[in-house]
Amino acid sequence: MKFEAKDILYIALLFAAGYLIFNLNSELAGANKSINTLNVELEDQKAVNMEAYSILEDKINSQVDLTEKLQVDINSLENSKNIIYFKANEKKTVINRVHNADSLAGIISRRYR
């Protein structure tokens, strides 16, 4: 069996094509491994981020609850302040209406009975 030049050329082209396909397949396998590794790393990072997000969300909700409680406390303190201010003004008014020292002494001594 005698090979012609054209047959040898075809065989060489087939070997070259096979070599190129083998190299491309090797590169593709490496790329697939890299993609799989990246996917695993991304999933791990996603899990870490979701945990951090959950913790942050809990802290935000806690801060919102504290803020609401502080608003209630501020309103309570404002009411207490108004009551104290009103009572102080009542006592000042009573003292200002007193015309002599004996009446003032009676008011003060009544407070400590």
Side-chain angles (χ1 to χ4, degrees), residues 50-100:
M50 290 301 289
E51 184 178 335
Y53 175 78
S54 176
I55 290 170
L56 185 61
E57 190 174 34
D58 291 343
K59 287 183 180 181
I60 288 171
N61 289 336
S62 172
Q63 289 298 316
V64 168
D65 293 343
L66 286 175
T67 303
E68 290 171 354
K69 184 181 179 300
L70 286 174
Q71 285 293 339
V72 170
D73 290 346
I74 287 171
N75 289 336
S76 175
L77 289 173
E78 283 289 327
N79 290 338
S80 297
K81 178 182 135 187
N82 289 338
I83 290 170
I84 291 169
Y85 181 74
F86 179 74
K87 286 183 179 180
N89 280 343
E90 275 184 349
K91 291 178 182 176
K92 286 178 187 175
T93 304
V94 168
I95 291 171
N96 287 336
R97 287 186 192 157
V98 173
H99 297 292
N100 58 33

Side-chain angles (χ1 to χ4, degrees), residues 8-26:
I8 294 175
L9 180 66
Y10 287 146
I11 291 172
L13 286 176
L14 281 175
F15 277 122
Y19 179 75
L20 287 174
I21 290 173
F22 178 76
N23 281 339
L24 288 175
N25 190 28
S26 296

Side-chain angles (χ1 to χ4, degrees), residues 28-46:
L28 184 60
N32 282 337
K33 281 186 179 181
S34 296
I35 288 172
N36 289 337
T37 303
L38 284 174
N39 282 337
V40 168
E41 289 176 6
L42 286 174
E43 287 297 322
D44 292 344
Q45 187 63 45
K46 180 180 176 182

